[in-house]
Amino acid sequence: MDVPTTLIRAVKGTRDLLPPATEVWNSVEAAARAVFRAYNYHEIRTPIFEETQLFARGVGEETDIVTKEMYTFEDRDGSSLALRPECTASVIRAYIEHRLDQRPGVQKLYYLGPMFRRERPQKGRYRQFSQIGAEVLGPPSSGSESPLRDAEILEMLATLLDELGITGWTLELNSVGSLADRARYNEVLRTALDSVVLGMCQDCQRRAVTNPLRVLDCKVPADQPIIETLPVIADSLDEASRAHFAQVTAALDAAQVPYTLNHRLVRGLDYYTRTTFEFTHGGLGAQNALLGGGRYDGLSEAIGGPKAPGIGFAMGEDRLVLSLLAAQDQKAAPLKADAFIAPLGETLNPAALVLARELRHKGLWIELGEGSFRLKKSFEAAEKTAGRIVILGEDELQSGILTVKTFATGIQTKVPRAELAAFLAEPAKG
Ligand code: HAM
């Protein structure tokens, strides 16, 4: 019976990453791992789903992420689970659960992996996206509250972006103060909003009651002139918060990391205290935040743990790759193996496999042809996939002298088998 089949496509907002683009992803990840190592960070891997409560309590009940964007589902036993929309809350949960506070010094942890938010998809914004992030936290006695930690992480990010060849980034910086400063500012905002909020969007009217700070996240164009007139958080900071922020900026100045101050940068997650930051990039269009982060001195306690001040960031890897591809004219370079081995006849297939194995074990990148191909077809296949073709016929096998053609120059060379690996390792330049 013929059943009509409909084509199944990837779910809206999700993407397949294909070669050669995956090479760019791998090189970004390798560069990030190398930088993390230099700054003494170590990898943590946490599950992709968690109890919904973790994000509700950690990220904040009133945030867009929790109210509108989280993929939440009921498990078969009735418990509520969520695909992680971010990883900071998971890292803190793991820190508490595994008593990492008992380990010496500050914990410096990094992670790479997919996150999930049901946002409206557009360029640079997906429902499954990848983050590369890091967190540094520990008991206050470990120095985790020091402004030096903030400056170190920002300097590391500037280094990483430079290393990746991302030019033209901007670091935007703010301080949202301590929890007490935030509470005070929320009251100041609530009062200021009283007289203007009726002219604002529905979301802002709700936020004005539940969490006035979130009004500053509003993207509705008509609300922007009103938001511009609201009091700024800098005026609500106490002495300690001001001094902390001044030390962060002084250390950045010393390290010559450029930044601009942005009073409205309160970030879309509730856990932030004191330093908040974003690195933006002009080439990204509307979704211009390459990465964001900040300090979260009360987060561990908010999810039931010991005092563990900390700071961290997460970088949107999809956006990072977009910026890199934009710099390289939108396309990842096509992938070409060092050589394509063409056996002349099916009886030579086993010998070709042995030769390929020999060369691969010497670190070369080899594509293997098929003996049933005519020579012309082998040449065509080889030219598309490799820099050189190695012909393996009966004569070559017996004499141990192989014929190699370098496509970039068109030159054909006879090479003894013992010298083949060294010959193929030379770049095939035109
Ligand atoms: P976030 O600002 O929500 O912060 O996300 C960090 C980065 O993830 C953004 O700057 C952006 O590059 C990327 N991103 C977010 N949503 C999407 C999306 N839908 N599609 C593509 N990329 C996206 C956090 O997640 C915090 N956990 C960062 C942090 C770590 N704060 C302290 N520690």
Short mmCIF file of all heavy atoms in Angstrom, two decimals, residues 65 86-88 111 117 119 124-126 129 131 134-135 267 269 271-272 289-294 296 312-316 319, ligand 1:
data_model
loop_
_atom_site.label_atom_id
_atom_site.label_comp_id
_atom_site.label_asym_id
_atom_site.label_seq_id
_atom_site.Cartn_x
_atom_site.Cartn_y
_atom_site.Cartn_z
N ILE A 65 12.26 35.17 29.81
CA ILE A 65 12.75 33.80 29.61
C ILE A 65 11.83 32.80 30.30
O ILE A 65 11.42 31.80 29.70
CB ILE A 65 14.20 33.67 30.13
CG1 ILE A 65 15.14 34.50 29.28
CG2 ILE A 65 14.66 32.21 30.18
CD1 ILE A 65 16.61 34.47 29.70
N GLU A 86 19.32 28.55 29.76
CA GLU A 86 20.64 29.11 30.04
C GLU A 86 21.32 28.15 31.00
O GLU A 86 20.68 27.20 31.47
CB GLU A 86 20.52 30.51 30.64
CG GLU A 86 19.78 30.54 31.99
CD GLU A 86 20.71 30.86 33.14
OE1 GLU A 86 21.50 31.79 33.03
OE2 GLU A 86 20.66 30.13 34.16
N CYS A 87 22.58 28.38 31.31
CA CYS A 87 23.29 27.36 32.08
C CYS A 87 23.77 27.82 33.45
O CYS A 87 24.22 27.01 34.26
CB CYS A 87 24.47 26.84 31.25
SG CYS A 87 24.99 25.18 31.70
N THR A 88 23.66 29.13 33.73
CA THR A 88 24.19 29.62 35.01
C THR A 88 23.47 28.96 36.19
O THR A 88 24.12 28.47 37.12
CB THR A 88 24.07 31.15 35.09
OG1 THR A 88 24.65 31.69 33.91
CG2 THR A 88 24.78 31.71 36.30
N TYR A 111 31.49 25.94 30.17
CA TYR A 111 30.59 24.99 29.54
C TYR A 111 30.35 25.38 28.09
O TYR A 111 30.50 26.55 27.72
CB TYR A 111 29.24 24.91 30.27
CG TYR A 111 28.63 26.27 30.55
CD1 TYR A 111 27.82 26.90 29.62
CD2 TYR A 111 28.88 26.92 31.77
CE1 TYR A 111 27.26 28.15 29.87
CE2 TYR A 111 28.34 28.17 32.03
CZ TYR A 111 27.53 28.78 31.07
OH TYR A 111 26.99 30.02 31.33
N ARG A 117 15.19 28.41 23.88
CA ARG A 117 14.24 29.48 24.23
C ARG A 117 13.26 29.63 23.08
O ARG A 117 13.68 29.71 21.92
CB ARG A 117 14.97 30.82 24.43
CG ARG A 117 15.92 30.82 25.59
CD ARG A 117 16.58 32.17 25.80
NE ARG A 117 17.71 32.02 26.69
CZ ARG A 117 18.56 33.00 27.01
NH1 ARG A 117 18.37 34.21 26.51
NH2 ARG A 117 19.57 32.78 27.83
N GLU A 119 11.78 31.79 21.28
CA GLU A 119 11.70 33.17 20.83
C GLU A 119 11.27 33.18 19.37
O GLU A 119 11.27 32.14 18.72
CB GLU A 119 13.09 33.82 20.94
CG GLU A 119 13.57 33.91 22.37
CD GLU A 119 14.82 34.77 22.47
OE1 GLU A 119 14.67 35.99 22.49
OE2 GLU A 119 15.92 34.20 22.52
N GLY A 124 20.35 35.17 13.71
CA GLY A 124 21.04 35.28 14.99
C GLY A 124 20.18 34.94 16.20
O GLY A 124 20.64 35.03 17.32
N ARG A 125 18.92 34.57 15.96
CA ARG A 125 18.07 34.17 17.09
C ARG A 125 17.35 32.87 16.76
O ARG A 125 16.60 32.81 15.79
CB ARG A 125 17.05 35.27 17.41
CG ARG A 125 16.35 35.00 18.73
CD ARG A 125 15.70 36.24 19.26
NE ARG A 125 14.54 36.58 18.46
CZ ARG A 125 13.88 37.73 18.55
NH1 ARG A 125 14.27 38.66 19.39
NH2 ARG A 125 12.83 37.94 17.81
N TYR A 126 17.61 31.87 17.54
CA TYR A 126 17.09 30.53 17.27
C TYR A 126 16.44 29.98 18.52
O TYR A 126 16.64 30.49 19.62
CB TYR A 126 18.24 29.61 16.80
CG TYR A 126 19.05 30.26 15.71
CD1 TYR A 126 20.26 30.89 15.99
CD2 TYR A 126 18.56 30.32 14.41
CE1 TYR A 126 20.97 31.55 15.01
CE2 TYR A 126 19.27 30.97 13.41
CZ TYR A 126 20.47 31.59 13.72
OH TYR A 126 21.18 32.25 12.74
N PHE A 129 19.98 27.11 20.46
CA PHE A 129 21.20 27.83 20.11
C PHE A 129 22.30 27.34 21.04
O PHE A 129 22.03 26.69 22.05
CB PHE A 129 21.00 29.34 20.22
CG PHE A 129 20.57 29.79 21.59
CD1 PHE A 129 21.49 30.28 22.51
CD2 PHE A 129 19.25 29.71 21.99
CE1 PHE A 129 21.10 30.67 23.78
CE2 PHE A 129 18.84 30.09 23.27
CZ PHE A 129 19.77 30.58 24.17
N GLN A 131 25.65 28.03 23.48
CA GLN A 131 26.41 29.00 24.26
C GLN A 131 27.76 28.42 24.65
O GLN A 131 27.90 27.22 24.89
CB GLN A 131 25.67 29.36 25.56
CG GLN A 131 24.49 30.29 25.37
CD GLN A 131 23.90 30.75 26.69
OE1 GLN A 131 24.15 30.14 27.74
NE2 GLN A 131 23.12 31.82 26.65
N ALA A 134 31.11 30.73 30.99
CA ALA A 134 31.98 30.40 32.13
C ALA A 134 31.47 31.11 33.38
O ALA A 134 30.81 32.15 33.28
CB ALA A 134 33.41 30.84 31.83
N GLU A 135 31.75 30.50 34.52
CA GLU A 135 31.33 31.06 35.80
C GLU A 135 32.52 30.96 36.75
O GLU A 135 33.24 29.96 36.74
CB GLU A 135 30.15 30.27 36.40
CG GLU A 135 29.01 29.94 35.44
CD GLU A 135 28.21 31.14 34.97
OE1 GLU A 135 28.32 32.23 35.58
OE2 GLU A 135 27.48 31.00 33.96
N ARG A 267 20.05 43.83 31.92
CA ARG A 267 20.03 42.43 31.49
C ARG A 267 18.69 41.76 31.82
O ARG A 267 17.99 42.15 32.71
CB ARG A 267 21.20 41.65 32.08
CG ARG A 267 22.53 42.36 31.87
CD ARG A 267 23.40 41.77 30.84
NE ARG A 267 23.55 40.35 30.99
CZ ARG A 267 23.26 39.49 30.01
NH1 ARG A 267 22.82 39.91 28.85
NH2 ARG A 267 23.41 38.20 30.20
N LEU A 269 17.84 38.87 33.02
CA LEU A 269 17.71 37.81 34.02
C LEU A 269 17.79 38.49 35.39
O LEU A 269 18.51 39.47 35.57
CB LEU A 269 18.84 36.78 33.87
CG LEU A 269 18.95 36.11 32.48
CD1 LEU A 269 19.92 36.86 31.57
CD2 LEU A 269 19.39 34.67 32.59
N TYR A 271 18.98 37.53 38.30
CA TYR A 271 19.97 37.22 39.34
C TYR A 271 21.12 38.20 39.43
O TYR A 271 21.96 38.10 40.31
CB TYR A 271 20.50 35.79 39.20
CG TYR A 271 20.96 35.31 37.84
CD1 TYR A 271 22.03 35.90 37.18
CD2 TYR A 271 20.35 34.20 37.26
CE1 TYR A 271 22.48 35.41 35.96
CE2 TYR A 271 20.79 33.71 36.03
CZ TYR A 271 21.85 34.31 35.38
OH TYR A 271 22.28 33.82 34.19
N TYR A 272 21.19 39.17 38.53
CA TYR A 272 22.38 40.02 38.51
C TYR A 272 22.47 41.00 39.68
O TYR A 272 21.48 41.56 40.11
CB TYR A 272 22.48 40.79 37.19
CG TYR A 272 22.78 39.88 36.04
CD1 TYR A 272 21.85 39.65 35.04
CD2 TYR A 272 23.99 39.19 35.98
CE1 TYR A 272 22.13 38.78 33.98
CE2 TYR A 272 24.26 38.32 34.95
CZ TYR A 272 23.34 38.12 33.95
OH TYR A 272 23.62 37.25 32.93
N ALA A 289 23.93 41.31 20.32
CA ALA A 289 24.67 40.91 21.53
C ALA A 289 25.41 39.61 21.27
O ALA A 289 24.82 38.55 21.12
CB ALA A 289 23.72 40.76 22.71
N LEU A 290 26.75 39.72 21.23
CA LEU A 290 27.57 38.52 21.04
C LEU A 290 27.59 37.70 22.32
O LEU A 290 27.63 36.48 22.30
CB LEU A 290 29.01 38.94 20.78
CG LEU A 290 29.54 39.05 19.38
CD1 LEU A 290 31.01 39.40 19.44
CD2 LEU A 290 29.33 37.78 18.60
N LEU A 291 27.62 38.41 23.44
CA LEU A 291 27.66 37.71 24.72
C LEU A 291 27.21 38.66 25.81
O LEU A 291 27.25 39.88 25.66
CB LEU A 291 29.08 37.21 25.00
CG LEU A 291 30.18 38.23 25.25
CD1 LEU A 291 30.33 38.56 26.73
CD2 LEU A 291 31.49 37.68 24.73
N GLY A 292 26.78 38.07 26.92
CA GLY A 292 26.35 38.90 28.04
C GLY A 292 26.66 38.19 29.34
O GLY A 292 26.85 36.97 29.38
N GLY A 293 26.72 38.98 30.40
CA GLY A 293 26.97 38.35 31.70
C GLY A 293 26.96 39.36 32.82
O GLY A 293 26.55 40.51 32.64
N GLY A 294 27.43 38.90 33.96
CA GLY A 294 27.48 39.79 35.11
C GLY A 294 27.65 39.00 36.40
O GLY A 294 27.79 37.78 36.39
N TYR A 296 26.48 37.73 40.21
CA TYR A 296 25.22 37.22 40.78
C TYR A 296 25.46 36.80 42.23
O TYR A 296 25.41 35.62 42.56
CB TYR A 296 24.68 36.05 39.94
CG TYR A 296 25.72 35.07 39.49
CD1 TYR A 296 26.23 34.10 40.36
CD2 TYR A 296 26.25 35.13 38.20
CE1 TYR A 296 27.22 33.22 39.95
CE2 TYR A 296 27.23 34.25 37.79
CZ TYR A 296 27.71 33.31 38.66
OH TYR A 296 28.68 32.43 38.27
N GLY A 312 29.90 35.64 35.77
CA GLY A 312 30.08 34.79 34.60
C GLY A 312 29.53 35.44 33.36
O GLY A 312 29.04 36.57 33.39
N PHE A 313 29.61 34.69 32.28
CA PHE A 313 29.10 35.20 30.99
C PHE A 313 28.68 34.02 30.15
O PHE A 313 29.04 32.86 30.43
CB PHE A 313 30.20 35.97 30.25
CG PHE A 313 31.24 35.05 29.67
CD1 PHE A 313 31.10 34.51 28.41
CD2 PHE A 313 32.34 34.67 30.43
CE1 PHE A 313 32.03 33.63 27.90
CE2 PHE A 313 33.27 33.77 29.93
CZ PHE A 313 33.12 33.26 28.66
N ALA A 314 27.91 34.29 29.11
CA ALA A 314 27.65 33.29 28.08
C ALA A 314 27.68 33.99 26.73
O ALA A 314 27.15 35.08 26.56
CB ALA A 314 26.32 32.59 28.30
N MET A 315 28.34 33.30 25.80
CA MET A 315 28.53 33.84 24.45
C MET A 315 27.63 33.06 23.51
O MET A 315 27.55 31.83 23.62
CB MET A 315 30.00 33.60 24.12
CG MET A 315 30.44 33.99 22.78
SD MET A 315 32.13 34.58 22.94
CE MET A 315 33.01 33.16 23.08
N GLY A 316 26.94 33.76 22.63
CA GLY A 316 26.11 33.07 21.64
C GLY A 316 27.00 32.56 20.53
O GLY A 316 27.49 33.34 19.71
N ARG A 319 25.96 33.35 16.97
CA ARG A 319 26.24 34.74 16.55
C ARG A 319 27.73 34.95 16.30
O ARG A 319 28.11 35.68 15.39
CB ARG A 319 25.75 35.70 17.63
CG ARG A 319 24.25 35.64 17.75
CD ARG A 319 23.71 36.65 18.71
NE ARG A 319 22.31 36.36 18.96
CZ ARG A 319 21.56 37.00 19.82
NH1 ARG A 319 22.07 38.00 20.51
NH2 ARG A 319 20.29 36.67 19.99
P1 HAM B 1 21.87 35.89 27.95
O1 HAM B 1 22.18 37.33 27.71
O2 HAM B 1 20.46 35.53 28.11
O3 HAM B 1 22.70 35.48 29.23
O4 HAM B 1 22.50 35.03 26.78
C1 HAM B 1 23.87 35.13 26.47
C2 HAM B 1 24.08 35.13 24.96
O5 HAM B 1 23.45 33.99 24.36
C3 HAM B 1 23.46 36.32 24.24
O6 HAM B 1 24.29 37.45 24.29
C4 HAM B 1 23.35 35.78 22.82
O7 HAM B 1 24.59 35.91 22.14
C5 HAM B 1 23.07 34.31 23.05
N1 HAM B 1 21.63 34.04 22.85
C6 HAM B 1 20.63 34.23 23.74
N2 HAM B 1 19.45 33.87 23.21
C7 HAM B 1 19.72 33.44 21.96
C8 HAM B 1 18.92 32.92 20.87
N3 HAM B 1 17.60 32.74 21.00
N4 HAM B 1 19.53 32.59 19.72
C9 HAM B 1 20.88 32.75 19.58
N5 HAM B 1 21.67 33.21 20.55
C10 HAM B 1 21.11 33.56 21.73
C11 HAM B 1 22.71 34.23 29.76
O8 HAM B 1 22.27 33.25 29.22
C12 HAM B 1 23.42 34.17 31.09
N6 HAM B 1 23.37 32.78 31.59
C13 HAM B 1 24.85 34.64 30.97
C14 HAM B 1 25.59 34.60 32.27
C15 HAM B 1 26.46 33.66 32.66
N7 HAM B 1 25.50 35.49 33.23
C16 HAM B 1 26.27 35.12 34.23
N8 HAM B 1 26.83 34.00 33.91
#
